[in-house]
Amino acid sequence: MKIECTVNGQREIIEIEPGETLLEMLRNRLGLTGVKKGCEVGECGACTVLVEDEPVDSCLYLAARVDGKEILTIEGLSQGGKLSKLQQAFIDEGAVQCGFCTPGFILSAHALLKRHPQPTEEEIKQGLAGNLCRCTGYQNIIRAVQKASNE
Amino acid sequence: MYGVKQLFVPATVKEALEWLHQNPQAKVIAGGTDLLLKMRNQAMREVVLVSLHKLKELEGIEILPDGTLRIGAMVTFTQVNRSSLVREKLPFLAEAAVTMGGPQIQNVATIGGNLCNGAVSADSAPSLLALEARLVLENREGTREVSLEDFYLGPGRVDLKEDELLTAIKIPLPRHNKWGGYYYKYSMRRAMDISTLGCAVVCAVEAGGQVSQARIALGTAAPTPIRCRQAEALVAGRFLSPDLLIRIGETAAGEAKPRSSWRASKEFRLELIKELTARTLVQAYQNAGGEYRDEN
Amino acid sequence: MKHQYVGKTVPRVDAVSKVTGKARFVADFQMPGMLYGKVLRSPVAHARIKRIDTGKAKALPGVKAVITWEDVPRIPYCTAGHPYPDSSRRDTYILDNKVRFMGDAVAAVAAETREIAEDALKLIEVEYEELPVLVSPEEALAEGAVEIHEGTKNICGQHQFAQGDVEAGFAASDYVLEEEFRTPIITHCSLETHVSLTYLDENDRLVVITSTQVPFNLRRIMSQALEMNMKQIRVIKPHVGGGFGGKAEVVQEPLNAVLTLKTGKPVLLEYTREEEMVAGRTRHSTVIKLKTGVTKEGRMLAQSMKIISNTGAYAGHGHAVVYSIGSHFAVHYPVPHFSFEGISVYTNIPVASAMRSYGASQLNFAMESHMDNLARKLNMDPLEFRRLNAIKEGEKDPMGYFVNNSYGLAECLAKGEELSNWKTKRETFAAAGANQKRKKGIGMACYCYETTAYCGAEEMSAAIIRMNEDGTAVLYLGSAEIGQGNDTVMAQIVAEEVGIGLEDIHVIGVDTDVCPYDIGAYASRQLYMCGMAVKKAAVKCREMIVDFAAQLFDTIPANLEVRQGWICDKLSGNRLITVKETVWKAHYNMDRPRTFVAEAYHGAKCNPLSYGAVFAEVEVDTGTGKVDIIKLWSIHDCGKVVNPQLAEGQVHGGVLMGMGFGLSEQLLIDPQTGRTYNNNLLDYKMATMMDIPELEVAFVETSEPSGAYGNKSLGEPPCISVAPAIRNAVLNATGVEFNEAPLTPERVLLKLKKAVNG
Ligand SMILES: Cc1cc2nc3c(=O)[nH]c(=O)nc-3n(C[C@H](O)[C@H](O)[C@H](O)COP(=O)(O)OP(=O)(O)OC[C@H]3O[C@@H](n4cnc5c(N)ncnc54)[C@H](O)[C@@H]3O)c2cc1C
Ligand code: FES
Ligand code: FES
């Protein structure tokens, strides 16, 4: 089946399979490999992308559903080669280790900051609770989001 | 890639119902967070799906002329949480909505899917049971309404025919002017977890401080989510006291039928039921404006 | 000496690629004609394969290969990613005619799509002759138990040692306490599962792009398992999405290689999460018996330990982990008389192997819980009891495995005592009254831990630095960046020693075709070992450059030195020329052109101890059994800190992993069938961001004389003492001894109820 959507600001018309996930469409058809796959069942958040500004687990989301929608992946965040505030804050605060969870976290945080430009620590935790990280203990990720929200 | 042979995306409920009637083997997909998982775990192939994601009629939260609150079946947990109407009329339900999963799941998972899936751990069930919610079910032939309590038939089984859709959940708003509710989700993690036990209480308080009425519901405490009517009877018309709370807990535990599984033993769940019904009652009572000093 | 880069927080060299999603992990490599590999997993925990029929699977359109045990070399190999000789038994075949746990590999398929591969698996017909399932070591060691590996009596390894006369020590003690502790099966949960991409290059060499901690050991083991020489194999480690020990092992690469060799095509073999959590690796569950004799003043006289470690279906790092436990046992609290007995047992459960701290977490949970129980019986403050008995400055390791030339334990204890306000809290919490439903408590635990793998394995690292013509440089590493920051600290060292900027350095690690040998990312060795190799290479490199500069300025090298990127006259301090310009001039010099390539290796027979302590304040909800952590203090002596932000990051992650071990994580297995119940990230309870405690990290910086910059281990240690510190805080809060981890709410609640009801 054919769908039409906007990915990282680019209009796309894509031929997809009915059982195809958004994750598969983005990685395999559009080469957006910044979308990571950690579990394929909605448990880790590594595959997080934004659909209409809201984070979803792209592994548990049929590609067919994004017909007519806008999608943002990590590749769309640093347009023009300039890092977003959040990306820079992740670097500055040491919020990146292996980096496998990082795109998902940054996108969840991006959506959070859009809704709550000045989130409390509790709001940050709630907003990022669907993303797992085994390396950082989350401490520096929280700091990074705080830093980006203060700028 | 999920094993989907065909995906039908109707534009209206009528179209959906007609199509369902023609294709009784088809599966309904709402958010897909239960269904897709099941398809993966059972390695299902050649599934025919009808997706509800474009059905505007299943969206929205509103107050009906008869004063009940209507939540469309496709309303997501995030939408329940953010709805100003829910926050105003049923604040505890707004909070309960975000005890499930994490943000990504809440953004996609629907309240209709949560109920139709029939899981005993469904996080919306205890609150909706305590609110005496009713479900609107439609097929090509017409519309019927059942209480949520009657909707649950047995473990994982609900009163939903192959060609039926759940279109809305109707919640009679509590009329008492001093009422409160609370949902206590007990799980191992503070997010991204299935409840080991869920307890919801809706209670109304008299001017003098007595509980006029309380409705107590439990999830993961029996083969289906349940109401604890004996415990409710015990509390009606009474003042809260440590002694009463212990008896409420014990009575609820007597009404529940938890099982042992690798997730939790029966013994543990019974202890939780005792403790949590009491705690949830106190919290709901306080939310209703009742004053009770909890020695904890 | 003042450093410009070492000791400073600098941005990770891979940070930009990671925050932009450009960093490539194995699954991000796509190749034309690539096939998808899938493994058929055993539905039973123990059986002989009587018959396999792959006919229908092979006939499925799109299927390119189906392999069973009959199609693979019949060569047993050891999967532990250590240097030769293997540290564990050679008990694994690429595929075998027997399955030993539920989820064991039975056959493998390569097909044009993942879905076809999955469908093909369903078409493989297997007839099993089922054997008794042995889940616990007790069953496996019972008289007449069926052997999981023939001729082993289900013993994967066994050893013992003693010093002094332990029985006499007990007899001379005023008080003897004997206890048993249990630890759960934990699993690594790297966000990236095991995954490899294999293909043949234009010379028909086998190329393996894989998520590994041990590229060189992997190449060696593959060369043995496949009977190929090392020249025929190239291993490339791209970015790795977490390892924690689970990837210090050859888990799937040989199987994938066979698929590529059979089809001649690139094959991507990617474990699903569910697969990863049964067919990946785990931390050994253990039963530990500790017996200790003390005087009434609290001095320990004698101690014995017996450990049974459940290694699961294959050895993996198997008994090497118990060796490591043994080597750490005697040094923490040196006593005149001690004895140790350890046994690793084969059972029909998923394979246990290396995991962060390599057994020390299990040992430390038992030891530090035991120490608190002892202190309690003696009516002593547990911190004072430890001070009295713990290893002291300058004291030797009775077994001689470790060196103790930089000692920070006492200071770690003092710092934790102060930061946590230990004394006051011990008193006030105790006085708070028994009737409260939420009870507060404070507890602590401490550790000492190795830096290198010596003397368990040969210790060696190497590095090559190649200067580009413009004075930028390429650093070739055999040590593996797996998220911990390896490439960044190594680049810091090059920048420091050569006198160029951090941004001037490009790190290549690891490609066995171009990088020098290194034993890999395990123990907590890389900064210590490879850091020294890099330093040596960098110093060589600088000396060559200075040499050339001396020629330029008609002087001798001894008169020159490098300062902040400049070559200066030593006497006057005058800046003569930048390092980068010197390199440029050297390359484009008509008379004596030259280039700079420096290589160095570092081999060591030295294993310094790091130290640390964790203090925990908790609140126990006696109505629900939940343990809330109010705050944790995590204090470490890792010698000198080379990059504070990276160091702190190691502590943050390690602490959370230790907290999981203490409170919530455990892989659960059906005792009858051997089925893993919770092999997914919803049912296996690692912490989310909502579950983290307040955490304060502090470092006690000693200077390790054998480290390149006074540094020693830090990668693993932060996870070690967290669980017992929490457990001891719960003891302080409730007066109840929990001798089994994790302290799940169920375990806590039911035991508290029992304690109340008698
Ligand atoms: C990682 C993860 C975490 C989770 N955590 C929680 C949690 O904490 N608490 C919890 O309660 N649940 C949890 N769930 C389960 C799930 O998300 C919820 O049950 C969710 O509400 C299901 O809604 P859905 O719209 O996704 O349903 P779907 O998967 O689309 O549908 C579920 C079932 O209901 C049927 N159905 C759906 N809508 C209708 C309709 N309108 N009419 C007729 N039939 C219908 C479908 O045919 C299907 O059988 C979790 C799931 C995942 C993957
Ligand atoms: S890969 Fe989608 S949530 Fe884990
Ligand atoms: S940085 Fe490795 S999982 Fe988050």
Side-chain angles (χ1 to χ4, degrees):
Chain A
M1 55 200 290
K2 200 171 256 155
I3 59 162
E4 202 177 329
C5 57
T6 307
V7 181
N8 298 331
Q10 197 91 31
R11 196 107 200 103
E12 306 271 3
I13 296 169
I14 313 167
E15 185 65 38
I16 56 159
E17 297 290 329
E20 185 166 333
T21 64
L22 180 55
L23 173 86
E24 288 162 332
M25 180 189 101
L26 294 169
R27 281 184 63 90
N28 304 343
R29 297 197 194 269
L30 302 180
L32 297 170
T33 53
V35 188
K36 296 295 174 223
K37 177 166 75 181
C39 71
E40 290 185 287
V41 282
E43 295 164 353
C44 76
C47 65
T48 301
V49 301
L50 306 190
V51 176
E52 302 284 310
D53 289 337
E54 297 289 355
V56 306
D57 294 319
S58 61
C59 66
L60 202 61
Y61 199 90
L62 291 182
R65 280 190 72 168
V66 300
D67 190 24
K69 300 240 155 93
E70 239 172 76
I71 301 154
L72 182 71
T73 74
I74 192 73
E75 288 88 350
L77 212 51
S78 49
Q79 299 259 317
K82 195 169 149 33
L83 298 182
S84 75
K85 268 186 212 166
L86 203 50
Q87 287 172 314
Q88 189 59 49
F90 265 65
I91 297 178
D92 296 342
E93 294 301 315
V96 180
Q97 288 191 24
C98 80
F100 202 79
C101 68
T102 307
F105 267 103
I106 292 180
L107 287 166
S108 286
H110 183 78
L112 173 74
L113 292 183
K114 206 153 182 180
R115 286 186 59 77
H116 295 283
Q118 303 281 324
T120 61
E121 184 168 333
E122 197 54 29
E123 283 168 340
I124 294 174
K125 288 182 181 171
Q126 282 168 358
L128 305 188
N131 293 79
L132 294 179
C133 174
R134 190 58 152 174
C135 301
T136 65
Y138 305 109
Q139 305 278 352
N140 289 351
I141 297 178
I142 296 174
R143 287 183 202 165
V145 178
Q146 283 168 335
K147 178 166 187 197
S149 75
N150 286 332
E151 275 172 7
Chain B
M1 192 84 68
Y2 293 97
V4 180
K5 186 165 92 185
Q6 188 191 352
L7 176 70
F8 180 63
V9 185
T12 63
V13 169
K14 190 160 178 288
E15 197 187 342
L17 294 176
E18 188 57 43
W19 197 82
L20 262 178
H21 181 77
Q22 314 283 335
N23 300 273
Q25 84 294 357
K27 292 195 188 309
V28 172
I29 181 164
T33 56
D34 276 319
L35 185 69
L36 293 175
L37 207 70
K38 189 165 147 192
M39 286 171 60
R40 172 185 168 90
N41 291 343
Q42 301 180 4
M44 291 189 197
R45 288 283 193 263
E46 302 281 295
V47 179
V48 177
L49 287 182
V50 49
S51 177
L52 310 184
H53 73 269
K54 286 202 168 156
L55 301 182
K56 292 274 173 287
E57 299 130 285
L58 303 192
E59 285 175 11
I61 300 174
E62 65 198 313
I63 305 245
L64 298 176
D66 67 356
T68 55
L69 184 83
R70 175 196 177 274
I71 302 182
M74 282 297 283
V75 167
T76 64
F77 283 81
T78 300
Q79 287 163 343
V80 172
N81 173 258
R82 290 183 190 161
S83 155
S84 48
L85 208 51
V86 177
R87 284 178 172 233
E88 184 200 326
K89 303 290 182 193
L90 299 169
F92 87 99
L93 189 67
E95 279 169 42
V98 288
T99 61
M100 77 88 69
Q104 293 92 325
I105 300 289
Q106 291 156 18
N107 282 338
V108 175
T110 65
I111 191 154
N114 198 234
L115 298 175
C116 291
N117 192 51
V120 61
S121 58
D123 275 313
S124 69
S127 307
L128 293 174
L129 275 179
L131 286 165
E132 301 198 321
R134 299 182 65 76
L135 308 188
V136 183
L137 304 168
E138 292 184 39
N139 63 7
R140 199 176 70 155
E141 267 61 67
T143 303
R144 65 185 177 111
E145 251 185 61
V146 301
S147 72
L148 178 57
E149 203 174 2
D150 291 337
F151 185 63
Y152 283 109
L153 299 178
R157 285 193 305 122
V158 292
D159 179 14
L160 179 73
K161 301 197 183 72
E162 270 181 348
D163 65 346
E164 262 180 338
L165 282 183
L166 167 67
T167 53
I169 294 118
K170 282 166 67 174
I171 304 170
L173 294 175
R175 288 176 196 278
H176 204 280
N177 59 1
K178 269 183 99 180
W179 78 273
Y182 190 66
Y183 177 58
Y184 197 129
K185 171 168 175 170
Y186 185 95
S187 56
M188 298 301 129
R189 296 192 290 207
R190 291 197 179 95
M192 296 303 286
D193 213 345
I194 302 299
S195 66
T196 314
L197 197 85
C199 179
V201 173
V202 170
C203 102
V205 180
E206 296 300 323
Q210 307 94 312
V211 174
S212 64
Q213 192 205 14
R215 296 192 216 118
I216 302 173
L218 294 174
T220 331
T224 66
I226 54 164
R227 279 279 290 277
C228 298
R229 289 216 159 68
Q230 291 166 24
E232 290 174 9
L234 209 56
V235 71
R238 307 281 299 272
F239 289 97
L240 295 190
S241 69
D243 185 55
L244 178 69
L245 290 173
I246 290 174
R247 285 202 294 139
I248 300 273
E250 279 169 355
T251 308
E255 290 179 79
K257 289 180 197 61
R259 305 183 298 126
S260 277
S261 76
W262 58 267
R263 291 172 199 274
S265 67
K266 176 176 170 182
E267 195 188 358
F268 176 52
R269 284 209 167 98
L270 284 171
E271 291 295 340
L272 288 180
I273 293 167
K274 287 186 217 164
E275 186 70 28
L276 298 190
T277 38
R279 283 192 191 185
T280 314
L281 176 59
V282 169
Q283 190 65 52
Y285 180 82
Q286 287 169 340
N287 288 351
E291 276 177 41
Y292 181 76
R293 256 192 61 79
D294 186 2
E295 75 268 44
N296 298 326
Chain C
M1 177 162 129
K2 279 222 61 74
H3 293 301
Q4 197 181 348
Y5 291 100
V6 167
K8 305 270 158 57
T9 288
V10 302
R12 296 179 64 101
V13 296
D14 51 9
V16 172
S17 73
K18 285 176 175 175
V19 300
T20 52
K22 288 181 191 157
R24 289 217 286 173
F25 296 80
V26 175
D28 302 335
F29 290 77
Q30 291 281 328
M31 303 204 73
M34 187 175 90
L35 303 176
Y36 294 81
K38 276 280 160 193
V39 181
L40 179 68
R41 303 226 161 260
S42 167
V44 293
H46 198 191
R48 258 184 216 100
I49 295 172
K50 277 172 66 179
R51 186 183 68 88
I52 309 190
D53 188 342
T54 58
K56 285 187 190 139
K58 281 180 175 149
L60 189 70
V63 171
K64 298 294 168 191
V66 182
I67 57 171
T68 71
W69 67 277
E70 288 168 320
D71 305 299
V72 302
R74 189 103 192 121
I75 303 170
Y77 61 99
C78 168
T79 59
H82 276 165
Y84 183 83
D86 298 303
S87 56
S88 279
R89 301 183 77 93
R90 293 186 168 199
D91 60 8
T92 305
Y93 295 92
I94 294 175
L95 290 169
D96 200 357
N97 53 11
K98 195 173 172 188
V99 290
R100 297 181 174 83
F101 69 99
M102 198 180 288
D104 204 351
V106 176
V109 171
E112 280 167 5
T113 68
R114 170 178 166 178
E115 289 70 30
I116 296 173
E118 281 166 1
D119 287 343
L121 294 185
K122 285 185 240 161
L123 298 176
I124 300 174
E125 290 165 16
V126 190
E127 207 178 307
Y128 297 98
E129 177 192 331
E130 290 197 44
L131 297 165
V133 176
L134 310 170
V135 170
S136 70
E138 289 80 358
E139 293 168 272
L141 292 176
E143 248 332 279
V146 55
E147 285 186 328
I148 296 169
H149 294 274
E150 284 75 22
T152 62
K153 293 201 162 65
N154 294 329
I155 295 170
C156 164
Q158 194 169 16
H159 81 294
Q160 53 198 50
F161 58 80
Q163 258 183 36
D165 180 342
V166 76
E167 287 309 323
F170 289 138
S173 300
D174 294 317
Y175 186 76
V176 177
L177 179 65
E178 184 171 8
E179 299 181 297
E180 184 179 287
F181 300 88
R182 285 173 183 261
T183 67
I185 309 170
I186 296 287
T187 180
H188 308 75
C189 298
S190 300
L191 261 272
E192 179 199 33
T193 60
H194 281 86
V195 51
S196 65
L197 170 60
T198 53
Y199 64 92
L200 299 176
D201 72 7
E202 64 274 23
N203 297 315
D204 279 340
R205 293 164 73 236
L206 177 67
V207 184
V208 186
I209 304 179
T210 185
S211 182
T212 183
Q213 300 174 227
V214 287
F216 282 92
N217 296 329
L218 184 121
R219 185 178 64 163
R220 191 265 300 168
I221 293 165
M222 287 190 73
S223 84
Q224 290 172 328
L226 296 164
E227 285 188 309
M228 293 167 78
N229 66 34
M230 289 187 194
K231 189 202 107 186
Q232 285 298 105
I233 305 174
R234 175 182 181 190
V235 176
I236 297 171
K237 176 213 70 75
H239 288 292
V240 171
F244 313 110
K247 293 172 183 169
E249 181 127 357
V250 182
V251 173
Q252 51 140 267
E253 293 85 349
L255 180 60
N256 200 13
V258 174
L259 291 174
T260 281
L261 293 170
K262 290 267 180 237
T263 58
K265 299 261 186 170
V267 181
L268 178 71
L269 179 58
E270 193 176 11
Y271 280 4
T272 62
R273 177 59 56 186
E274 295 88 337
E275 205 175 8
E276 173 80 7
M277 291 177 80
V278 293
R281 291 296 180 263
T282 68
R283 185 193 285 293
H284 295 84
S285 57
T286 60
V287 180
I288 297 176
K289 283 203 173 81
L290 274 170
K291 183 174 175 184
T292 303
V294 286
T295 67
K296 46 184 188 304
E297 294 77 31
R299 192 164 287 284
M300 288 160 62
L301 288 184
Q303 189 168 55
S304 72
M305 174 167 167
K306 287 184 189 165
I307 171 169
I308 302 175
S309 167
N310 187 341
T311 205
Y314 297 92
H317 283 250
H319 201 64
V321 171
V322 174
Y323 264 112
S324 180
I325 291 174
S327 65
H328 286 86
F329 156 70
V331 64
H332 195 179
Y333 300 105
V335 288
H337 313 284
F338 59 85
S339 69
F340 177 91
E341 270 175 50
I343 180 165
S344 310
V345 184
Y346 283 123
T347 58
N348 298 117
I349 68 168
V351 183
S353 197
M355 183 170 174
R356 198 175 196 167
S357 85
Y358 215 67
S361 290
Q362 294 95 312
L363 167 68
N364 198 253
F365 179 79
M367 182 68 87
E368 291 297 277
S369 300
H370 185 60
M371 290 300 282
D372 257 51
N373 294 354
L374 270 167
R376 192 155 168 264
K377 308 242 145 83
L378 292 163
N379 224 348
M380 277 183 83
D381 177 276
L383 178 55
E384 294 311 321
F385 180 53
R386 285 181 176 80
R387 283 194 169 117
L388 191 64
N389 290 292
I391 182 170
K392 306 279 182 313
E393 175 140 34
E395 191 170 346
K396 291 236 160 11
D397 170 11
M399 300 290 292
Y401 293 120
F402 306 110
V403 297
N404 178 24
N405 295 334
S406 54
Y407 174 84
L409 180 59
E411 219 184 304
C412 288
L413 295 177
K415 202 154 197 169
E417 180 177 26
E418 181 204 318
L419 291 174
S420 68
N421 200 2
W422 169 263
K423 281 216 174 67
T424 316
K425 284 179 186 160
R426 283 298 283 195
E427 282 158 21
T428 50
F429 292 164
N435 288 332
Q436 280 187 326
K437 206 155 211 176
R438 294 199 168 86
K439 294 184 198 296
K440 281 191 173 189
I442 185 163
M444 55 81 56
C446 60
Y447 71 84
C448 56
Y449 189 68
E450 69 187 13
T451 295
T452 71
Y454 180 80
C455 42
E458 303 82 351
E459 259 304 345
M460 188 166 45
S461 281
I464 298 172
I465 300 166
R466 205 189 52 156
M467 299 304 295
N468 295 323
E469 301 91 295
D470 63 356
T472 59
V474 185
L475 171 63
Y476 297 84
L477 293 175
S479 61
E481 167 69 63
I482 56 169
Q484 78 284 54
N486 182 69
D487 289 358
T488 303
V489 290
M490 299 306 165
Q492 280 177 267
I493 294 172
V494 174
E496 185 72 52
E497 299 299 342
V498 177
I500 56 177
L502 196 67
E503 65 289 349
D504 294 327
I505 299 158
H506 175 62
V507 183
I508 294 183
V510 177
D511 177 344
T512 57
D513 265 12
V514 295
C515 296
Y517 179 79
D518 190 294
I519 66 172
Y522 59 92
S524 293
R525 55 176 296 283
Q526 287 191 157
L527 179 53
Y528 179 79
M529 290 300 303
C530 190
M532 188 64 104
V534 171
K535 185 181 182 184
K536 285 182 185 173
V539 168
K540 259 193 204 171
C541 194
R542 181 186 65 215
E543 284 171 353
M544 289 189 283
I545 296 168
V546 168
D547 222 49
F548 184 80
Q551 295 176 31
L552 284 182
F553 289 91
D554 247 347
T555 177
I556 55 164
N559 290 340
L560 302 178
E561 67 180 5
V562 175
R563 259 190 254 148
Q564 308 220 312
W566 286 82
I567 294 176
C568 305
D569 180 75
K570 221 185 230 167
L571 266 183
S572 67
N574 285 345
R575 290 177 162 185
L576 303 177
I577 183 172
T578 64
V579 171
K580 285 170 90 171
E581 200 183 336
T582 313
V583 174
W584 179 274
K585 288 201 161 156
H587 281 92
Y588 300 118
N589 187 297
M590 273 300 177
D591 297 330
R592 336 167 260 246
R594 69 156 305 176
T595 187
F596 306 99
V597 182
E599 53 176 45
Y601 74 93
H602 182 59
K605 288 172 79 173
C606 174
N607 195 347
L609 285 175
S610 282
Y611 301 94
V614 177
F615 286 67
E617 184 179 336
V618 304
E619 190 175 84
V620 183
D621 185 334
T622 61
T624 63
K626 283 224 173 173
V627 176
D628 274 331
I629 299 179
I630 313 265
K631 187 161 179 182
L632 286 173
W633 294 265
S634 180
I635 304 123
H636 303 275
D637 158 27
C638 59
K640 287 269 183 269
V641 173
V642 172
N643 180 323
Q645 189 180 69
L646 288 177
E648 224 186 300
Q650 286 303 298
V651 179
H652 293 161
V655 164
L656 215 59
M657 206 173 251
M659 185 183 96
F661 175 59
L663 290 180
S664 60
E665 293 183 28
Q666 50 181 338
L667 204 63
L668 295 165
I669 292 176
D670 182 349
Q672 259 78 49
T673 63
R675 179 166 85 87
T676 304
Y677 288 126
N678 57 339
N679 55 327
N680 61 69
L681 294 174
L682 199 55
D683 292 319
Y684 182 87
K685 312 292 182 187
M686 68 177 261
T688 72
M689 198 182 263
M690 295 284 282
D691 303 301
I692 64 173
E694 189 183 340
L695 169 62
E696 187 173 339
V697 178
F699 291 101
V700 165
E701 289 194 69
T702 61
S703 184
E704 169 53 40
S706 63
Y709 299 93
N711 55 292
K712 49 188 180 177
S713 65
L714 184 67
E716 298 164 286
C719 76
I720 296 175
S721 287
V722 187
I726 294 169
R727 177 265 179 207
N728 290 339
V730 173
L731 171 61
N732 179 238
T734 63
V736 178
E737 295 172 354
F738 290 90
N739 292 349
E740 179 166 7
L743 276 67
T744 58
E746 172 160 2
R747 202 166 262 152
V748 171
L749 187 68
L750 295 184
K751 190 155 180 183
L752 289 180
K753 295 271 173 207
K754 218 162 136 195
V756 172
N757 301 335

